Every structure is written in C-alpha cells, then in structure tokens.
Amino acid sequence: MNSDLSFCLFCDIAAGKIPCDQVHSDENFLAFRDISPQAPTHILVIPRQHIGGLTELNQDQAAMAGQLLVLASSIAAKEKLDAPGYRFVINCGQDGGQTVGHLHLHILGGRALGWPPG
Ligand code: 5GP
Ligand code: ZN
C-alpha cells in the first residue's frame, strides 16, 4: 500500500484523475479492468466512497456492500461469465495480499481457476 496517506490510487481513478478502462460507472460505484489481469476477464469494482478495506466496513455500509455484490454479479453476467462461472475475490491486509488500500472486489473469469489460492 502507498505510505502517503493523502494519496489513494483508486480514489484518483474514481475522480478521473488517473485513466482506466471503464466497464461501469454510476453515482456510487466504478468498475474497470485490472491493469495486470490474472485471468482473461479481470475487473475491479470499487465504491466511490473511500473505504480502506474489509476491516473498515461497518453496519452503516451494509447496504453498500450488498449493492457492490449485486453490481459485480450483473457485470459478470454482461461479460458472459455466468455459464462458465467466475470468482469474486476481496483481498484484505498483508496476509490477504491487499496492495491497494481502497476496498475493491476482483471479478475473475474466462479460464478455470485453481483452488486453493496461493
Ligand atoms: P489487491 O492486490 O489490492 O487485491 O488488488 C489491487 C489490484 O489493482 C491489482 O490486481 C493490480 O493489478 C491493480 N492495479 C494496481 N494499479 C492499478 C492501476 O493503476 N490501474 C488499474 N486498472 N489497476 C491497477
Ligand atoms: Zn480511496
């Protein structure tokens, strides 16, 4: 994670300051293709509101978290991933492999994904 607390990469992407390959945009959420795809389809879905990660989620954000899941599943369907299947991933903290400190959900699909994860 970037050590400059005033800087958040995904806030800057959400604000349009840093370009992205946008898949979906609305008042509350943005979805865009991962710059370093780990599968043929690799999309990140973020809330526009800055939330550092899963450990910062609270009851007030329960509706937003549900909307994030529903939106991500609709994007997966639009990307024609329903039939072959796909995976959602939210990495959390150092051991979870989180590298960007702004809550984001990965949509991964387009190939058979291994389990367990590394
Ligand atoms: P994390 O490792 O935190 O779960 O996921 C962060 C993801 O953000 C990584 O998959 C990484 O490739 C992606 N990423 C990092 N910087 C950028 C960027 O500038 N643009 C886009 N589109 N994705 C990025
Ligand atoms: Zn942010």
Side-chain angles (χ1 to χ4, degrees):
M1 276 180 242
N2 195 294
S3 55
D4 177 357
L5 294 177
S6 65
F7 174 81
C8 173
L9 175 64
F10 287 177
C11 278
D12 278 1
I13 287 178
K17 293 181 195 164
I18 294 174
C20 69
D21 184 356
Q22 188 177 295
V23 173
H24 172 91
S25 176
D26 65 38
E27 197 184 339
N28 298 315
F29 299 99
L30 181 70
F32 51 95
R33 297 191 192 278
D34 198 291
I35 204 166
S36 175
Q38 301 302 309
T41 301
H42 187 172
I43 293 167
L44 302 172
V45 189
I46 67 168
R48 289 188 179 276
Q49 175 191 4
H50 179 86
I51 299 168
L54 285 175
T55 53
E56 290 186 15
L57 266 187
N58 60 46
Q59 195 58 38
D60 293 343
Q61 290 142 352
M64 179 283 297
Q67 286 160 4
L68 177 70
L69 270 184
V70 172
L71 171 61
S73 62
S74 79
I75 291 170
K78 279 190 193 134
E79 294 283 319
K80 303 195 188 313
L81 297 176
D82 270 2
Y86 57 87
R87 186 174 295 168
F88 290 168
V89 172
I90 300 179
N91 295 320
C92 183
Q94 193 173 339
D95 277 5
Q98 184 177 5
T99 59
V100 176
H102 181 127
L103 183 66
H104 52 284
L105 180 149
H106 298 252
I107 304 172
L108 293 154
R111 67 171 171 84
L113 299 163
W115 191 264

